[in-house]
Amino acid sequence: MKSFLITELAALLSTFVFSQTPNWSDNSGDFNNSMSVVGVVELNGAELRSATNEIGAFVGSELRGTTTAFYVSSKDRYFFLITIYSDVVSGETITYKVYNESENEVVDLVNTSDFTIDLILGELDNPVILSDDAGSVDVTGPV
């Protein structure tokens, strides 16, 4: 019994010590402008398929928006609808990171977007593909 408890305690501690969960929280109230992206995420060529995955949008190292995936049954896909915040009307470069819950890791995505106030990139029928594949193209305008 004692060794079982020690094993369980070690497993629990390793979850906390080695976890990559990003603990992202944006400060949307600090900004006056926004844009939105409707996208899906591909890692190693496969779409992420879990509502526990989270995406973050960044300008430099500053988090400007975050959300978790949501499932749309009519499309049989997990989408990210992310609102990105800024104080400028255009010109900032947005980069993306995704927390892949199944691998417990944060992955830099290769796509970038140019911030443009009130812009909506992607839609459910034609989402932006955000990827870790260097062959992906930048998303800089309406898709």
Side-chain angles (χ1 to χ4, degrees):
M1 179 69 173
K2 188 175 184 180
S3 85
F4 173 77
L5 289 175
I6 291 171
T7 302
E8 289 299 309
L9 181 59
L12 182 62
L13 286 174
S14 69
T15 299
F16 291 115
V17 171
F18 299 110
S19 175
Q20 294 288 323
T21 305
N23 194 27
W24 289 328
S25 178
D26 63 49
N27 297 320
S28 58
D30 293 347
F31 300 99
N32 295 313
N33 304 321
S34 66
M35 66 176 274
S36 299
V37 176
V38 178
V40 295
V41 172
E42 288 183 358
L43 296 182
N44 300 315
E47 276 189 26
L48 292 183
R49 297 192 49 84
S50 172
T52 58
N53 296 311
E54 184 175 359
I55 193 166
F58 296 82
V59 173
S61 62
E62 183 178 24
L63 181 68
R64 294 292 186 86
T66 186
T67 193
T68 55
F70 67 95
Y71 182 69
V72 176
S73 60
S74 64
K75 305 291 182 193
D76 190 31
R77 292 175 100 175
Y78 285 83
F79 292 88
F80 293 89
L81 173 55
I82 186 167
T83 303
I84 303 166
Y85 301 95
S86 180
D87 275 330
V88 301
V89 295
S90 66
E92 291 183 317
T93 299
I94 309 296
T95 60
Y96 301 92
K97 296 180 184 212
V98 68
Y99 171 65
N100 180 2
E101 191 272 338
S102 68
E103 298 294 325
N104 194 30
E105 65 180 355
V106 175
V107 178
D108 291 326
L109 302 176
V110 297
N111 308 77
T112 62
S113 303
D114 291 332
F115 183 87
T116 303
I117 188 173
D118 298 332
L119 179 66
I120 300 172
L121 292 175
E123 55 189 48
L124 292 181
D125 288 328
N126 187 22
V128 173
I129 307 296
L130 299 163
S131 173
D132 65 342
D133 179 5
S136 297
V137 296
D138 290 348
V139 178
T140 56
V143 177

